[in-house]
Amino acid sequence: HVQLVESGGDSVQVGGSLRLSCEASGFALSNFCVGWCRKTPGRECEEVGGIDGDGRISVSPFLKGRFTISKDNGKNTLYLEMNSLKPEDTDMYFCAADPTHGSRYRCGHPHRFRNWGQGTQVTVS
């Protein structure tokens, strides 16, 4: 049973930093694509990025340079490091996973993911 539990969301000032964590269970991060997206109510989940089983990382070009994705296979945990935060980064951030192989979507695209966490709120003001 795949479970994804996010943590680390908070309220921060403009220019601040946050690190989100996502503890995964029911599958191994080392074997599959995992990633992040962010969502405002009424809108589709916006791509943040992903990291595949081989450690290849994709980050949205709109966020590259400020956001970094990493994982610790030993802890089966995914991370999102966010720097130079802006008010427009305010959103609910979701951890997601594709515990299968063969998707036509690249790792990081929101349509790739099949399982989602409950989300963690990030507020920048």
Side-chain angles (χ1 to χ4, degrees):
H1 175 60
V2 173
Q3 272 198 306
L4 301 164
V5 180
E6 302 98 332
S7 61
D10 206 345
S11 296
V12 296
Q13 292 186 336
V14 172
S17 298
L18 271 180
R19 187 175 82 156
L20 306 183
S21 300
C22 172
E23 292 188 37
S25 58
F27 73 106
L29 294 188
S30 58
N31 293 335
F32 299 103
C33 166
V34 288
W36 298 90
C37 77
R38 61 187 190 181
K39 189 177 185 301
T40 301
R43 299 180 64 178
E44 287 197 2
C45 212
E46 176 190 354
E47 176 178 352
V48 174
I51 180 168
D52 68 15
D54 293 327
R56 288 179 292 239
I57 301 169
S58 170
V59 176
S60 167
F62 302 105
L63 302 174
K64 197 173 291 186
R66 297 194 298 122
F67 286 25
T68 305
I69 295 173
S70 62
K71 63 178 179 175
D72 184 329
N73 289 335
K75 295 181 179 179
N76 219 36
T77 299
L78 175 70
Y79 302 100
L80 176 63
E81 188 81 36
M82 305 183 291
N83 299 306
S84 302
L85 283 163
K86 305 175 181 180
E88 51 264 43
D89 295 320
T90 295
D91 235 329
M92 184 74 80
Y93 284 72
F94 293 88
C95 172
D98 174 17
T100 67
H101 293 291
S103 171
R104 63 189 178 98
Y105 292 101
R106 58 177 171 76
C107 184
H109 191 290
H111 292 176
R112 173 71 181 262
F113 300 118
R114 296 169 176 255
N115 299 86
W116 303 85
Q118 82 288 350
T120 187
Q121 178 67 38
V122 172
T123 302
V124 185
S125 60

